[in-house]
Amino acid sequence: MAEPNPAFHLKTLRRKAQRVLWWERAWEPLRWPLLLVAFYGLASLARIPQSLPDWLHALLEIGVLGAALWLTVTGLRRVAPVSIPAADRRIEHDSCLARQPLLSLTDRPALAGNGEQSAIWARHVERVTASLGTLRVGLPHPETSLQDRIGLIAVPLALISAALLASTHTPSRLYAGLLPGVDDDSVPLPTLQAWIDRPPYAPGAPIFLSSTGRTSLDVPQGSILNATITGAHGKPTLSGIASPEQSRLDAGSWNSHGTLQQSGTIRIVVRGRTLGAWHVTVEPDLPPTVTWDGKPGPQKDDWRTGLPWHIHQTYGVESLEAEIHLPGLSRGRVLRVPIPLDGHPKDAKGVATPDLSSDPFAGMDVEGRLHAKSVSGRESRSDIVKFQIGARKFTDPLARALVALRRRLMLGQERASKASDELALLTQTTDERAILAALGLEIASLRKDAPEGSADRVPGDLWALALYLDDLHRDGPEIADAAAEVRAAQQGVQQQLDHMRELGAKGHTLPEQEELQRRTQTLKDALNRRMQLLFERAAQSGIMMPQSGTSSADPFSDEMRRLQSEANQGHGDEALRRLQQMEDMAERMRQARPEDLKALAAQMKAQAEAQAQRAALHDLVHRETTLLDHTQSRLSAARKAAAPPDDGNPPDVSQMSTADLLRQLGMQPPAGMDQPADKPPAPVDPATVAAQSDGRRADHALQRALQRVNDILSHRVKDLTGKPATAFDKAKTDMQSAREALADRKDADAQTAEQKVLADLSEAGKQMRQNQKSGGSGKGGQGGGSLSFIPSGGAGGSGKPQHGAKGQQGDDGDQPQAGDEDGDDEDQKDQDPLGRKLGEGDKGKDSDAHIPDKSARDRARDIERELRRRASDRTRPQSELDYLERLLKSF
């Protein structure tokens, strides 16, 4: 390694010596500024500046630190620079060199006339440099007086003592002393109450925030953060929210709020200290997803148009409508068809069947798309599809001509004057005075000299006239007049329902309700009159019309009462839907023909067979339940005989699983909670098991018989509907397992198998009812056609009333019948008139209240305390902790 250059080393030491000498000279002007800064630090540790008002604190700090800065600058300007000879003297002194050898390095010979003398002098300098040895420069040690030395000891001791007294608050006090408007940690934090209100489109409980609780939140877009700060000495700062708003409540209280539009960290700071910080993930409010759930088009054998739809939105869809237009139509007419929804569904699908036969687009190929609007106001539209709108098939030639003319007139394809001339020509095709009078009125309304606005009612009149002509051609004048009265009454009810819905809350007044009642009564009378005429016409032709399947002598009373009730309660959409059902029922009323009666007989036979099958399944379930009761009784007796004597004390709740604790409280634990490892089965007494052989043998024989009944019922269900109920096959397999377990004296395995059998039979009942509703293609022919000529209060949206047992009346026409396991009489025992259970056992049948005794209440408290203890145990699975936290909020 090469030796360092002595000349370069000396140059470096000279610079260091100059700095040391400069700091020694600067001590004199720097001691007073340092003393001022030290005293201000002591005052900050003693919280003297922080106790002053912010403006006075700032003024004091500016004065002290400004004076220190001014003294420092002016004092340092008076410090003289250090020369190289002075630096050499300091190096010689610190290196203990005698006779000042460094002078030779800066000295010059007196006579340097020739080169020989210069060489001799250079050689001398080299020798002096080489003889210097190790050179060094010590630390600065300015000259101080006794007072300076005392101050150098006292001031640091005071600072250290103050820092020790402040303890952990030392950094925050120094920080607060340097920054006015900031509090240190020794000042009590203001009280914070913060919560997040969910937006109106996503209703729910507010989310309360705390600085010690969870710091990660998921909230919907548009949620509002509210924060109330009490005991604050300054204005709080809310960061992480765009455009927050703040208002002062009183001298020390503030209210801050802002809307959450994007994810981020929200922080509330008061006088430099954070009261709370939360990371918020904002779930965006996306537009709803709306699609066609199939091909729209006319319903089979119906003039209604099926519109299959599927919607999805995280927070619910408020409205849905179909926008239909005719391609190439110059006027751009758009038909908007509202599709009723059940509340505000988040994910739903269905098929709307509106009656669009009166629209000029009926029977034409159109283009349509769905338009959905979420509860938050976001909108979206589906893809455009092409389909055909259902149309009525008119049998009367004049009716078809009127409908065609009406379509051209409404679509702007024909002028009013030309339509008037065409109507004049159509008057020559009929001799009916009523028809001629109506056509004459329409002709006058389309003339140029007609009153303004009279042409607007022509399309409606033409449609009503076409319907009347078709009824007249098919049923004669009396029934046609009755059908016209029904349509007029339906239109009156429709107008009143629309009027009440437009009025909102004002539409539920007594006069409006009385008007609705009057119009519904008119509609009911018109329907009854038409039905009476149909019965009379059938009797004259020798055909006996079958009676309605409703229990009421008046098949329209229940529907009218429900319609009026829904309208009075503000359920306008439901009332309109029920009116639509009644319109379908009225349109489908006609005189029965022999083929109708034959179809009715086949349908009633199929319904009787279906009812018998449900009764057989109910009996099968009942007997299988009896087997399960026998097995559980034997198993309980064998385990009780093998168990140690009971001391009478209830089990320790601390030793029970969380699922068992919830069951003790009468609550069903969520799936997957406390799934223990496989435990060994409880011991049983062999002597007791042997003594139960007779009962086990009888159950084995009964199980075999039930297995045979299950096979027969499975085949009958398939023959009736043409569709198999696969759950019967699973029940057969589980019944075989139960028989084997009973034969091997394994009651525990038999109990498990029998429970599976009951679950299988329940699923089989659902499959059976679903197949019977859909109408199979089997021998029974249950779905062989609608008997729409008979009105029924249980008519559904398709206008297909049900017939049979009186239990079939209702809104959906599918109420439980006798022998159905879902509607068994046992489920209706001990109930009050509203269907609520009266009590338990033979006591308390006049009340559904149950007052537990003292021991039961104490045990419930013990269980609650144990649940709270487990909720505080953070070592448990997070799913269980979340469930316990939600559960304990109700206590």
Side-chain angles (χ1 to χ4, degrees), residues 374-661:
S374 67
V375 293
S376 58
R378 304 296 299 272
E379 300 182 19
S380 66
R381 289 174 170 82
S382 68
D383 296 334
I384 295 178
V385 298
K386 295 182 178 180
F387 60 95
Q388 188 181 68
I389 295 182
R392 288 177 181 261
K393 297 180 180 179
F394 291 91
T395 58
D396 185 77
L398 180 57
R400 290 199 297 268
L402 292 177
V403 170
L405 175 63
R406 172 179 177 270
R407 173 184 296 169
R408 295 194 300 272
L409 189 63
M410 293 183 68
L411 296 181
Q413 299 173 348
E414 188 163 335
R415 295 192 305 271
S417 58
K418 187 176 180 181
S420 176
D421 296 339
E422 190 169 341
L423 284 176
L425 293 176
L426 291 176
T427 57
Q428 302 176 11
T429 62
T430 180
D431 296 332
E432 292 287 341
R433 294 185 178 181
I435 304 301
L436 291 174
L439 289 176
L441 180 61
E442 306 308 325
I443 293 172
S445 300
L446 293 174
R447 297 291 185 186
K448 293 183 179 180
D449 55 352
E452 184 178 358
S454 60
D456 296 338
R457 61 178 180 83
V458 171
D461 294 344
L462 290 178
W463 180 254
L465 185 58
L467 293 176
Y468 179 79
L469 283 170
D470 205 56
D471 291 338
L472 183 66
H473 179 266
R474 183 180 63 247
D475 300 324
E478 291 185 351
I479 297 180
D481 291 342
E485 292 179 7
V486 171
R487 295 191 189 100
Q490 288 172 346
Q491 185 176 5
V493 174
Q494 177 82 43
Q495 293 174 352
Q496 180 63 17
L497 290 176
D498 293 339
H499 177 65
M500 293 176 67
R501 188 167 57 173
E502 291 176 359
L503 292 178
K506 297 181 180 179
H508 307 316
T509 59
L510 183 59
E512 299 293 341
Q513 294 178 6
E514 290 178 348
E515 177 63 20
L516 177 63
Q517 183 178 4
R518 185 187 66 79
R519 297 193 180 193
T520 53
Q521 182 62 38
T522 302
L523 175 58
K524 186 177 72 171
D525 294 341
L527 288 170
N528 287 333
R529 170 173 169 74
R530 184 179 181 189
M531 187 173 67
Q532 182 179 2
L533 290 175
L534 289 174
F535 273 82
E536 291 176 357
R537 177 70 61 83
Q540 293 174 3
S541 59
I543 298 177
M544 293 300 296
M545 290 278 285
Q547 296 292 330
S548 168
T550 61
S551 59
S552 173
D554 183 357
F556 308 107
S557 297
D558 293 341
E559 290 296 314
M560 293 295 181
R561 185 166 56 252
R562 294 190 186 99
L563 184 148
Q564 187 175 351
S565 175
E566 288 164 354
N568 294 337
Q569 294 175 8
H571 302 158
D573 293 337
E574 292 296 328
L576 291 174
R577 187 181 306 173
R578 193 169 297 279
L579 179 61
Q580 179 182 357
Q581 294 175 0
M582 297 185 64
E583 291 175 356
D584 291 344
M585 181 172 58
E587 290 292 338
R588 297 176 185 277
M589 288 171 56
R590 58 179 173 80
Q591 181 180 345
R593 297 187 293 268
E595 55 270 22
D596 296 326
L597 300 180
K598 183 178 179 181
L600 176 62
Q603 183 176 8
M604 295 181 67
K605 181 180 179 181
Q607 289 181 349
E609 173 65 18
Q611 183 176 350
Q613 291 177 8
R614 288 193 293 267
L617 179 61
H618 170 74
D619 184 66
L620 184 59
V621 171
H622 177 71
R623 293 181 182 275
E624 189 67 35
T625 305
T626 303
L627 284 180
L628 179 60
D629 292 341
H630 293 171
T631 304
Q632 290 175 340
S633 299
R634 290 194 302 270
L635 188 61
S636 177
R639 287 175 177 174
K640 185 175 181 181
D646 188 6
D647 56 2
N649 295 326
D652 186 4
V653 294
S654 62
Q655 303 300 323
M656 301 171 64
S657 65
T658 303
D660 291 336
L661 287 175

Side-chain angles (χ1 to χ4, degrees), residues 171-193:
S172 64
R173 289 190 180 184
L174 292 176
Y175 181 76
L178 290 175
L179 293 178
V182 175
D183 289 336
D184 55 78
D185 292 344
S186 58
V187 177
L189 280 172
T191 302
L192 171 66
Q193 292 181 348

Side-chain angles (χ1 to χ4, degrees), residues 706-738:
L706 295 181
Q707 185 175 351
R708 179 59 180 163
V709 172
N710 178 79
D711 293 341
I712 297 174
L713 184 58
S714 176
H715 288 93
R716 290 179 60 184
V717 169
K718 184 176 180 180
D719 291 341
L720 177 65
T721 63
K723 300 177 182 179
T726 57
F728 282 115
D729 297 333
K730 293 177 61 179
K732 178 181 179 180
T733 303
D734 292 329
M735 286 180 178
Q736 182 63 32
S737 300

Side-chain angles (χ1 to χ4, degrees), residues 21-34:
L21 290 174
W22 188 89
W23 277 111
E24 289 178 352
R25 295 177 183 179
W27 164 248
E28 182 70 21
L30 287 178
R31 58 181 178 174
W32 293 112
L34 290 175

Side-chain angles (χ1 to χ4, degrees), residues 218-257:
D218 295 334
V219 297
Q221 185 179 6
S223 298
I224 299 176
L225 172 70
N226 296 277
T228 301
I229 299 96
T230 306
H233 300 290
K235 184 178 181 180
T237 301
L238 180 60
S239 61
I241 297 181
S243 304
E245 298 181 5
Q246 293 180 324
S247 59
R248 190 164 189 167
L249 303 179
D250 54 34
S253 300
W254 295 80
N255 177 263
S256 303
H257 60 275

